[in-house]
Amino acid sequence: MASATLLKSSFLPKKSEWGASRQVAAPRPVTVSMVVVRASAYADELVKTAKTVASPGRGILAMDESNATCGKRLASIGLENTEANRQAYRTLLVTAPGLGQYISGAILFEETLYQSAVDGRKIVDILAEQGIVPGIKVDKGLVPLAGSNNESWCQGLDGLAAREAAYYQAGARFAKWRTVVSIPNGPSELAVKEAAWGLARYAAISQDNGLVPIVEPEILLDGEHGIERTFEVAQKVWAETFYAMSEVEATQNLNAMNQGANPWHVSFSYARALQNTCLKTWGGAPENVKAAQDALLLRAKANSLAQLGKYTSDGETAEAKEGMFVKNYSY
């Protein structure tokens, strides 16, 4: 019996590189998440969920913005941050016809998990009808890490098991936990270890409660360093994360994907990159819903084609090609 974890990274270390001094050699490049296995009462369902979320040509729509962050999005098009407006926008996203052709999973905020669409149907039910697996953001955000170089750690382990049990009953089948590592601030050994062990404990708790955990130690892009430094730090963080997961038995086979003949891929997981044009097109006007949904589907299809190696930029608008990196962005 096996359960599953989705490990999100651009490069994964070999099993021989876990632990010890965590000084790793150049890893084999992979551009996707990885599914790993662990014994669990939900074993069969977890593996089925992971395979669905990681199905070829599909990816994740991250719509797990907090109410405050969603308010910033709405403010950008002149709308107030009310539950009705959040509901209208989320309804627009999940009811886009054929969205499930390109999207396999949707990460939700807690309000959204329990929310109904404008027509009264539960949002999780609409996603299921589209063949999209509902997921849930389970961390409680970043807070200052005492004794570090002005770094942060991700809180939310307290009460996580009970919350995830409730999320499972509400229809969620996978989870997201966002922790970050800052290169300009170090990263310190303390921050790296805290990120790794927090992710490992979250992954084990999630599987025990029926949710496939996405393991995502995010290396922040902020800073004046080059790609080589980013690569170096990412190797170190991932080696520490693999080691921590093996120690807390968050998995029994961390090298499952690299050894398998048919790797399972999570090809993309985006929020603003999928939603930005859609949001601007909508502008809060009911008559713009179809055009906004068409914009969402266009971006989702582009990402699907890219994952399959078939994307070209022919016909793309200049706006679609604009970068959306925001320096020192705060969630």
Side-chain angles (χ1 to χ4, degrees), residues 5 63 72 177 182 234 239 296 327:
T5 299
M63 47 185 293
K72 295 178 183 177
W177 176 282
S182 171
L296 172 64
K327 187 176 182 179

Side-chain angles (χ1 to χ4, degrees), residues 2-215:
S3 65
T5 299
L6 293 173
L7 296 177
K8 188 179 177 197
S9 174
S10 294
F11 20 77
L12 302 175
K14 303 174 185 176
K15 190 170 184 179
S16 61
E17 295 164 352
W18 311 341
S21 65
R22 325 289 201 268
Q23 297 298 313
V24 298
R28 290 166 289 176
V30 222
T31 57
V32 293
S33 299
M34 183 175 108
V35 175
V36 293
V37 295
R38 173 178 183 265
S40 168
Y42 296 91
D44 292 340
E45 183 182 23
L46 287 165
V47 170
K48 180 181 178 181
T49 297
K51 286 183 175 180
T52 299
V53 174
S55 52
R58 300 205 295 167
I60 294 174
L61 171 61
M63 47 185 293
D64 58 327
E65 299 93 345
S66 67
N67 290 347
T69 300
C70 192
K72 295 178 183 177
R73 306 273 196 273
L74 295 173
S76 72
I77 57 170
L79 292 184
E80 292 184 45
N81 186 15
T82 65
E83 182 177 358
N85 284 335
R86 295 193 299 271
Q87 179 191 49
Y89 180 55
R90 291 162 178 164
T91 297
L92 181 159
L93 295 174
V94 302
T95 59
L99 183 64
Q101 182 177 348
Y102 313 114
I103 299 298
S104 56
I107 308 172
L108 310 178
F109 187 61
E110 188 172 74
E111 178 184 72
T112 320
L113 180 67
Y114 296 101
Q115 197 170 40
S116 295
V118 173
D119 63 7
R121 292 180 295 161
K122 300 288 289 184
I123 284 180
V124 291
D125 292 339
I126 296 173
L127 290 171
E129 290 170 7
Q130 293 253 42
I132 299 171
V133 181
I136 180 72
K137 169 184 165 66
V138 299
D139 68 81
K140 292 296 184 179
L142 303 171
V143 293
L145 177 61
S148 70
N149 300 327
N150 196 29
E151 296 162 288
S152 60
W153 66 283
C154 188
Q155 59 185 346
L157 289 173
D158 289 349
L160 180 60
R163 285 189 287 117
E164 290 195 322
Y167 296 153
Y168 180 91
Q169 292 300 318
R173 289 298 180 268
F174 73 94
K176 171 195 172 183
W177 176 282
R178 179 181 181 266
T179 193
V180 303
V181 173
S182 171
I183 293 179
N185 292 346
S188 66
E189 290 292 330
L190 175 62
V192 171
K193 289 180 183 296
E194 179 58 43
W197 286 96
L199 284 165
R201 292 191 294 271
Y202 140 77
I205 293 169
S206 296
Q207 292 178 78
D208 285 344
N209 288 281
L211 303 183
V212 173
I214 293 180
V215 175

Side-chain angles (χ1 to χ4, degrees), residues 279-313:
L279 180 66
K280 291 180 178 179
T281 302
W282 175 52
E287 63 270 21
N288 293 337
V289 167
K290 183 182 183 305
Q293 290 180 329
D294 288 344
L296 172 64
L297 292 171
L298 183 65
R299 294 265 51 82
K301 182 179 180 180
N303 280 279
S304 172
L305 290 172
Q307 193 272 334
L308 296 171
K310 300 178 181 180
Y311 171 79
T312 68
S313 61

